[in-house]
mmCIF file with all atom_site columns, all heavy atoms in Angstrom:
data_model
loop_
_atom_site.group_PDB
_atom_site.id
_atom_site.type_symbol
_atom_site.label_atom_id
_atom_site.label_alt_id
_atom_site.label_comp_id
_atom_site.label_asym_id
_atom_site.label_entity_id
_atom_site.label_seq_id
_atom_site.pdbx_PDB_ins_code
_atom_site.Cartn_x
_atom_site.Cartn_y
_atom_site.Cartn_z
_atom_site.occupancy
_atom_site.B_iso_or_equiv
_atom_site.pdbx_formal_charge
_atom_site.auth_seq_id
_atom_site.auth_comp_id
_atom_site.auth_asym_id
_atom_site.auth_atom_id
_atom_site.pdbx_PDB_model_num
ATOM 1  N N   . PHE A 1 74 ? -9.191  -2.955  7.371  1.00 94.00 ? 74 PHE A N   1
ATOM 2  C CA  . PHE A 1 74 ? -10.614 -2.759  7.117  1.00 94.00 ? 74 PHE A CA  1
ATOM 3  C C   . PHE A 1 74 ? -11.117 -3.723  6.041  1.00 94.00 ? 74 PHE A C   1
ATOM 4  O O   . PHE A 1 74 ? -12.272 -4.142  6.072  1.00 94.00 ? 74 PHE A O   1
ATOM 5  C CB  . PHE A 1 74 ? -10.907 -1.304  6.734  1.00 94.00 ? 74 PHE A CB  1
ATOM 6  C CG  . PHE A 1 74 ? -11.038 -0.391  7.915  1.00 94.00 ? 74 PHE A CG  1
ATOM 7  C CD1 . PHE A 1 74 ? -10.026 0.473   8.263  1.00 94.00 ? 74 PHE A CD1 1
ATOM 8  C CD2 . PHE A 1 74 ? -12.186 -0.400  8.686  1.00 94.00 ? 74 PHE A CD2 1
ATOM 9  C CE1 . PHE A 1 74 ? -10.144 1.312   9.350  1.00 94.00 ? 74 PHE A CE1 1
ATOM 10 C CE2 . PHE A 1 74 ? -12.328 0.429   9.774  1.00 94.00 ? 74 PHE A CE2 1
ATOM 11 C CZ  . PHE A 1 74 ? -11.292 1.293   10.117 1.00 94.00 ? 74 PHE A CZ  1
ATOM 12 N N   . SER A 1 75 ? -10.255 -4.099  5.109  1.00 93.00 ? 75 SER A N   1
ATOM 13 C CA  . SER A 1 75 ? -10.641 -5.096  4.098  1.00 93.00 ? 75 SER A CA  1
ATOM 14 C C   . SER A 1 75 ? -10.876 -6.456  4.741  1.00 93.00 ? 75 SER A C   1
ATOM 15 O O   . SER A 1 75 ? -11.802 -7.176  4.356  1.00 93.00 ? 75 SER A O   1
ATOM 16 C CB  . SER A 1 75 ? -9.570  -5.218  3.017  1.00 93.00 ? 75 SER A CB  1
ATOM 17 O OG  . SER A 1 75 ? -9.437  -4.015  2.312  1.00 93.00 ? 75 SER A OG  1
ATOM 18 N N   . PHE A 1 76 ? -10.042 -6.808  5.725  1.00 93.00 ? 76 PHE A N   1
ATOM 19 C CA  . PHE A 1 76 ? -10.268 -8.061  6.459  1.00 93.00 ? 76 PHE A CA  1
ATOM 20 C C   . PHE A 1 76 ? -11.594 -8.015  7.205  1.00 93.00 ? 76 PHE A C   1
ATOM 21 O O   . PHE A 1 76 ? -12.355 -8.993  7.204  1.00 93.00 ? 76 PHE A O   1
ATOM 22 C CB  . PHE A 1 76 ? -9.132  -8.324  7.455  1.00 93.00 ? 76 PHE A CB  1
ATOM 23 C CG  . PHE A 1 76 ? -7.919  -8.936  6.846  1.00 93.00 ? 76 PHE A CG  1
ATOM 24 C CD1 . PHE A 1 76 ? -6.733  -8.232  6.783  1.00 93.00 ? 76 PHE A CD1 1
ATOM 25 C CD2 . PHE A 1 76 ? -7.952  -10.219 6.333  1.00 93.00 ? 76 PHE A CD2 1
ATOM 26 C CE1 . PHE A 1 76 ? -5.607  -8.794  6.222  1.00 93.00 ? 76 PHE A CE1 1
ATOM 27 C CE2 . PHE A 1 76 ? -6.831  -10.785 5.762  1.00 93.00 ? 76 PHE A CE2 1
ATOM 28 C CZ  . PHE A 1 76 ? -5.648  -10.076 5.707  1.00 93.00 ? 76 PHE A CZ  1
ATOM 29 N N   . LEU A 1 77 ? -11.891 -6.875  7.803  1.00 94.00 ? 77 LEU A N   1
ATOM 30 C CA  . LEU A 1 77 ? -13.157 -6.729  8.529  1.00 94.00 ? 77 LEU A CA  1
ATOM 31 C C   . LEU A 1 77 ? -14.342 -6.816  7.579  1.00 94.00 ? 77 LEU A C   1
ATOM 32 O O   . LEU A 1 77 ? -15.337 -7.483  7.868  1.00 94.00 ? 77 LEU A O   1
ATOM 33 C CB  . LEU A 1 77 ? -13.161 -5.401  9.298  1.00 94.00 ? 77 LEU A CB  1
ATOM 34 C CG  . LEU A 1 77 ? -14.371 -5.130  10.179 1.00 94.00 ? 77 LEU A CG  1
ATOM 35 C CD1 . LEU A 1 77 ? -14.532 -6.223  11.221 1.00 94.00 ? 77 LEU A CD1 1
ATOM 36 C CD2 . LEU A 1 77 ? -14.217 -3.775  10.855 1.00 94.00 ? 77 LEU A CD2 1
ATOM 37 N N   . ARG A 1 78 ? -14.248 -6.172  6.413  1.00 94.00 ? 78 ARG A N   1
ATOM 38 C CA  . ARG A 1 78 ? -15.335 -6.234  5.434  1.00 94.00 ? 78 ARG A CA  1
ATOM 39 C C   . ARG A 1 78 ? -15.513 -7.665  4.911  1.00 94.00 ? 78 ARG A C   1
ATOM 40 O O   . ARG A 1 78 ? -16.633 -8.137  4.740  1.00 94.00 ? 78 ARG A O   1
ATOM 41 C CB  . ARG A 1 78 ? -15.079 -5.278  4.273  1.00 94.00 ? 78 ARG A CB  1
ATOM 42 C CG  . ARG A 1 78 ? -16.260 -5.235  3.309  1.00 94.00 ? 78 ARG A CG  1
ATOM 43 C CD  . ARG A 1 78 ? -16.088 -4.248  2.220  1.00 94.00 ? 78 ARG A CD  1
ATOM 44 N NE  . ARG A 1 78 ? -14.941 -4.606  1.397  1.00 94.00 ? 78 ARG A NE  1
ATOM 45 C CZ  . ARG A 1 78 ? -14.375 -3.823  0.511  1.00 94.00 ? 78 ARG A CZ  1
ATOM 46 N NH1 . ARG A 1 78 ? -14.812 -2.607  0.328  1.00 94.00 ? 78 ARG A NH1 1
ATOM 47 N NH2 . ARG A 1 78 ? -13.361 -4.231  -0.199 1.00 94.00 ? 78 ARG A NH2 1
#
Side-chain angles (χ1 to χ4, degrees):
F74 278 104
S75 296
F76 278 113
L77 184 59
R78 185 176 63 193

